[in-house]
């Protein structure tokens, strides 16, 4: 038999153990749905930090652009330059704090929008821009209640005016971040919005010209159109998840991620067998166990040990014992059809059944964001269209 092509070898290897399946069509769909929600006069900034919340930032950005995204946001320069290298030409806002000359030069070189929180920081960017004889657009961040990045909102208007006077910087945007937009009680969001409005009023009519004002994350975008201003910054909703239970159902979002893994070994053990490290779990009957090739080093939280399950052909099978670094064990006693090489679904759809990131996050006392961006680089990111759910690993000729 002929040696398989390197592409085919890679394809087969990527599906031999465990992988993240990304449905780019779902991301495009979600972007369209969000676009409809905000209307034609509001811009949509797709937040693709942390490798697109674990979905792959390049694939996510291209899919969001196809659905009508106008701009992108990331946390770091490495992420921003990565988008440029993957062919994305749209505006890219860096949400993290940049303050060094070399970082400012990278913003100029790659046409990236820095977030400005202080005048000292603005002076660094101004020095670099004037050296280059350029005018660098920036976005000023106001701290209206997050107490993280941003200038205290009381000083926001003065900071914007001081930056404008520097000459080689142009304040293109003014933004703030909401601390509890997903809360049922809108009190804090209302206070933050009032502070944001106060600064905008102090800046006066249209000063600076064509100012882009933005405040809303996914929750605010979904919950309240009056929070949209000139642009919204959406992350979680783009990937198909509601930021809170009470916001689910507002928009027909489609989850874009599935996490799947292979069953590698089956064994039958007697009742009373202790399973995995420390024997936290003992079988109560003669049991058929299946070892699945995925573990906490892949991003399955160890806290989910004996509190999760997997799907196979629409059935739910419980996970038992401690989740280990590279494997976990499921109880397949009631599923004699499960065979070595079978694909099980840890997260996402399998037929009509589904497991959501929120089910995981509630079981281990965290939030869906943490689950999605917790999947490690060991898991290949594969396009959903090219990844058959069932079937054995193909044989390869090396
Ligand atoms: C991450 C982030 C967002 C996106 O938040 P979601 O809740 O995922 O929509 C928006 N704005 C800022 C400043 C962020 O850091």
């Amino acid at each position: 038999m002929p040696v398989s092509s390197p592409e085919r070898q890679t394809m087969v290897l990527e599906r031999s153990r465990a992988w993240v399946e990304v449905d780019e069509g779902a991301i495009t769909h979600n972007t369209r749905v969000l676009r409809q929600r905000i209307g034609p006069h509001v811009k949509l900034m797709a937040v693709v930090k942390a490798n697109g919340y674990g979905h792959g930032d390049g694939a996510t950005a291209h899919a969001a652009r196809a659905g009508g995204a106008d701009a992108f946001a990331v946390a770091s320069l490495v992420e921003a330059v990565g988008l440029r290298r993957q062919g994305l030409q749209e505006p890219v806002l860096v949400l993290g704090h940049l303050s060094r000359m070399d970082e400012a030069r990278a913003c100029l070189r790659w046409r990236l929008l820095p977030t400005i929180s202080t005048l000292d920081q603005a002076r660094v960017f101004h020095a670099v821009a004037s050296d280059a004889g350029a005018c660098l657009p920036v976005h000023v961040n106001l701290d209206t209640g997050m107490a993280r990045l941003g200038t205290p909102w009381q000083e926001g208007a003065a900071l914007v005016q001081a930056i404008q006077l520097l000459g080689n910087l142009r304040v293109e945007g003014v933004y703030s971040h909401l601390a509890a937009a997903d809360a049922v009680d809108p009190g804090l969001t209302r206070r933050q919005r009032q502070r944001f409005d106060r600064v905008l009023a102090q800046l006066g009519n249209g000063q600076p010209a064509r100012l882009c004002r933005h405040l809303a994350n996914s929750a605010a975008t979904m919950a309240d159109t009056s929070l949209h201003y000139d642009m919204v910054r959406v992350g979680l909703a783009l990937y198909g998840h509601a930021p809170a239970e009470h916001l689910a159902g507002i928009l027909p979002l489609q989850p874009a991620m599935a996490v799947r893994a292979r069953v590698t070994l089956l064994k039958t053990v007697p009742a009373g067998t202790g399973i995995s490290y420390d024997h936290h779990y003992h079988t109560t009957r003669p049991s058929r166990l299946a070892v699945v090739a995925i573990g906490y080093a892949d991003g399955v939280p160890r806290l989910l040990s004996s509190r999760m399950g997997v799907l196979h052909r629409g059935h739910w099978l419980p996970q038992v014992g401690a989740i280990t670094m590279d494997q976990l064990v499921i109880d397949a006693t009631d599923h004699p059809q499960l065979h070595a090489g079978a694909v099980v679904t840890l997260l996402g759809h399998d037929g009509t059944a589904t497991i959501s990131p929120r089910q995981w996050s509630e079981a281990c006392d965290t939030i869906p964001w943490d689950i999605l961006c917790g999947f490690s680089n060991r898991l290949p990111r594969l396009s959903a269209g090219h990844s058959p759910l069932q079937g054995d690993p193909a044989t390869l000729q090396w």
Side-chain angles (χ1 to χ4, degrees), residues 47 49 53 73 95 141 148 175-178 182 215-219 221 233-239 243 369:
V47 182
K49 60 193 180 190
Y53 289 37
L95 299 167
N141 186 356
R148 193 176 62 172
Y175 79 96
S176 188
H177 192 42
L178 296 169
D182 52 359
L215 178 65
N217 54 7
S218 295
T221 301
R233 304 183 306 269
V234 283
L236 193 71
L238 199 67
Y239 306 98
W369 292 259

Side-chain angles (χ1 to χ4, degrees), residues 22-30 32 63 254 256:
V22 179
D23 183 347
E24 287 97 349
I27 293 172
T28 301
H29 163 88
N30 297 333
R32 287 207 184 99
Q254 295 174 0

Side-chain angles (χ1 to χ4, degrees), residues 199-324:
V199 178
L200 296 174
Q202 285 166 4
L203 287 173
N205 303 341
Q207 293 290 329
R210 302 190 310 279
L211 186 66
C212 176
R213 308 159 300 166
H214 46 114
L215 178 65
N217 54 7
S218 295
T221 301
M222 292 170 73
D224 184 350
T225 54
S226 76
L227 298 169
H228 292 176
Y229 294 90
D230 302 311
M231 183 165 78
V232 297
R233 304 183 306 269
V234 283
L236 193 71
L238 199 67
Y239 306 98
H241 307 284
E245 224 63 277
H246 71 279
L247 297 172
I250 292 182
L251 297 176
L253 300 172
Q254 295 174 0
M257 183 189 283
V259 178
R260 312 204 200 270
R262 297 263 179 202
V263 170
T264 51
L265 185 68
L266 283 142
K267 61 177 56 173
T268 303
V269 299
T273 302
I275 295 176
S276 188
Y277 290 121
D278 299 322
H279 288 188
H280 289 306
Y281 182 91
H282 288 84
T283 55
T284 56
R285 56 179 176 169
S287 300
R288 188 163 175 264
L289 304 178
V291 181
V292 180
I294 191 168
Y296 64 76
D298 299 291
V300 182
R302 194 174 165 281
L303 281 170
L304 288 179
S305 295
S306 299
R307 298 178 188 181
M308 63 171 289
V310 304
L311 301 173
H312 180 68
R313 302 199 172 151
H315 297 286
W316 191 86
L317 290 75
Q319 185 277 326
V320 290
I323 294 170
T324 69

Side-chain angles (χ1 to χ4, degrees), residues 169-194:
L169 300 183
R170 180 169 67 82
V171 179
E172 179 191 278
V174 170
Y175 79 96
S176 188
H177 192 42
L178 296 169
D182 52 359
V184 176
D185 177 357
L188 179 54
T189 298
R190 198 179 306 130
R191 280 201 300 287
Q192 287 195 260
R193 186 239 299 257
Q194 283 164 356

